[in-house]
Each structure stands twice: as structure tokens, then as C-alpha cells.
Amino acid sequence: MEGGKLIVFSAPSGSGKTTIVRHLLAQSDLNLAFSVSATSRPRRPREKHGEDYYYMTVSEFKQRIKNEDFLEWEEVYRDNFYGTLKAEIERLWAEGKNVIFDIDVVGGLRIKKKFPERTLAVFVKPPSVDELKIRLKKRSTESEDKINMRIAKASVEMATAPQFDFIIKNYELDTALEEAHELVAAYLRGEPIPAKP
Ligand code: 5GP
């Protein structure tokens, strides 16, 4: 695999990483393209196949694991598989893009380990697990059960923050967006990653 750089944003569900990733994608100076993951979770009403995710059944997903089509994959929640297809990254690199990921902490660290010299791995830290609960309830894309599953996982995920190259505190969105933009722009210019705050 040859190509550009990889920018990974990982965080517990509801911490605002998707908002940050969307903001960065809109900045033309960064030349970023979104790595569309594959998933076996059901499509949410406003999501589009090929834009938000490549949706597939659990058995299709398992077949693609067997075929070694994934750069990394994870059963993030029971029967909800998520993974990065090798072909997706090759396609975006062939277009001359830097690739940005919105993936869970395990997947994020796995990508960093595979491509340490060309990956910036950022952890997005929410103010607290209680705040996450409020945000997930407000978003109301998931059932109560699923929200609780995500909250239970959040504490474990928070503990992985020190393994990332940089931690962005998403306490105030505009500040986090600005900080993320500056960080990614500097990394793409080849500057060293600043010390963790
Ligand atoms: P959601 O169901 O809210 O879209 O995503 C659930 C979690 O799975 C999020 O933390 C999301 O970042 C993560 N995720 C999405 N795509 C991937 C992927 O390709 N690999 C891994 N490991 N996690 C992913």
C-alpha cells in the first residue's frame, strides 16, 4: 500500500467526533476524504449506503473477514460489526487524498500500529460519561437498551485516551473544531505532533 496520510478520530459514541470529522472534511486546504466503513448494523433513516457506511448482513461481513478484505474490523457491539476495507483506503490514496477515519478506539489504535509513520491518531474526550448519556439520549437514534450498551463501553474507551497521539477535549464545540483543524493542518505539513495537553 502506498499513498497519503491517515487521520484517525476515535472516541466513545456521542463524544462529537463525527461532527469534528465532518468539519475537517469541509476544509479544502486539508485535502481529506472520508474512509467509508463497512457495518452490519442497521442503516439509520438519514444515512446513505456508500456515504455513511457500506451496509451488509452479518454473514456477508463474516465472509469478507474470511477473505481478508479488512484492514481492521471489530465487533463493536454484539452482532454489530464495523470494519475498514483495504479497497476503500487504496481507492482514496489512488485519488491522491489523505484519509480521515471515524472509528472506535480499538480500530483507531490498530491503524496507528499498522501505519505508525503516516497516522495521526486523535482521541476526542467528552466532558464526562454523564454528559455522553445526555447527548446520546438527545440524538435518539438508538433504543434505551442500545444507549446503555454504548454508555457501558464508554468508560472502558475513555481509559485508552493516553495511547493516542493527541487528545482533543470536546467541552466547547467551536474550540474543539478550531483545535482539530490546526492540529491536522500542522501534521499534514509534516510538523511534529505537539505534546499532549
Ligand atoms: P455508529 O453505530 O454510531 O455509527 O458507530 C459505532 C462505533 O463504531 C463508533 O465508535 C464508530 O466510530 C465505530 N466505527 C465506525 N466504523 C468503524 C470501523 O471501520 N472500524 C471500527 N473499528 N470501528 C468503527
Side-chain angles (χ1 to χ4, degrees):
M1 274 186 161
E2 284 194 30
K5 291 188 174 162
L6 304 174
I7 311 292
V8 169
F9 275 81
S10 295
S13 186
S15 57
K17 70 178 182 301
T18 305
T19 309
I20 296 176
V21 167
R22 290 218 176 110
H23 172 78
L24 295 175
L25 279 163
Q27 313 304 313
S28 54
D29 60 313
L30 301 178
N31 188 31
L32 294 173
F34 182 60
S35 164
V36 178
S37 296
T39 186
S40 66
R41 83 139 160 76
R43 192 175 63 80
R44 294 179 190 145
R46 253 168 301 184
E47 292 178 343
K48 288 204 182 101
H49 179 83
E51 274 183 33
D52 297 282
Y53 284 106
Y54 300 111
Y55 299 92
M56 49 183 80
T57 61
V58 174
S59 67
E60 265 177 279
F61 202 104
K62 287 184 174 165
Q63 186 55 49
R64 303 218 47 182
I65 295 173
K66 268 196 203 141
N67 296 351
E68 299 188 359
D69 289 342
F70 289 107
L71 195 56
E72 62 77 36
W73 64 270
E74 196 63 31
E75 188 174 9
V76 177
Y77 309 105
R78 193 157 58 84
D79 271 346
N80 285 8
F81 289 85
Y82 295 82
T84 305
L85 291 161
K86 290 177 186 166
E88 176 72 358
I89 308 310
E90 278 159 6
R91 178 178 76 80
L92 297 173
W93 275 349
E95 286 177 14
K97 297 283 190 182
N98 297 305
V99 183
I100 188 163
F101 298 76
D102 172 347
I103 66 179
D104 91 316
V105 297
V106 179
L109 292 171
R110 217 166 257 162
I111 298 224
K112 175 77 192 179
K113 209 168 169 192
K114 281 202 170 151
F115 301 101
E117 303 305 327
R118 61 166 73 182
T119 303
L120 171 69
V122 184
F123 186 90
V124 180
K125 193 172 174 207
S128 66
V129 173
D130 280 345
E131 176 64 24
L132 271 189
K133 204 171 198 166
I134 294 166
R135 288 186 193 179
L136 284 174
K137 285 198 170 150
K138 240 196 232 162
R139 189 166 88 181
S140 65
T141 50
E142 252 75 27
S143 64
E144 182 84 21
D145 241 26
K146 293 232 165 106
I147 289 177
N148 288 337
M149 203 158 75
R150 283 169 187 247
I151 298 295
K153 199 162 180 250
S155 312
V156 180
E157 292 169 326
M158 294 282 258
T160 67
Q163 296 176 56
F164 284 77
D165 295 322
F166 199 84
I167 299 169
I168 288 184
K169 294 187 181 125
N170 187 13
Y171 299 177
E172 206 275 308
L173 184 61
D174 284 343
T175 312
L177 294 179
E178 208 171 296
E179 196 181 0
H181 189 171
E182 272 169 31
L183 175 73
V184 172
Y187 182 74
L188 294 178
R189 283 195 300 267
E191 293 171 21
I193 301 168
K196 283 179 213 175

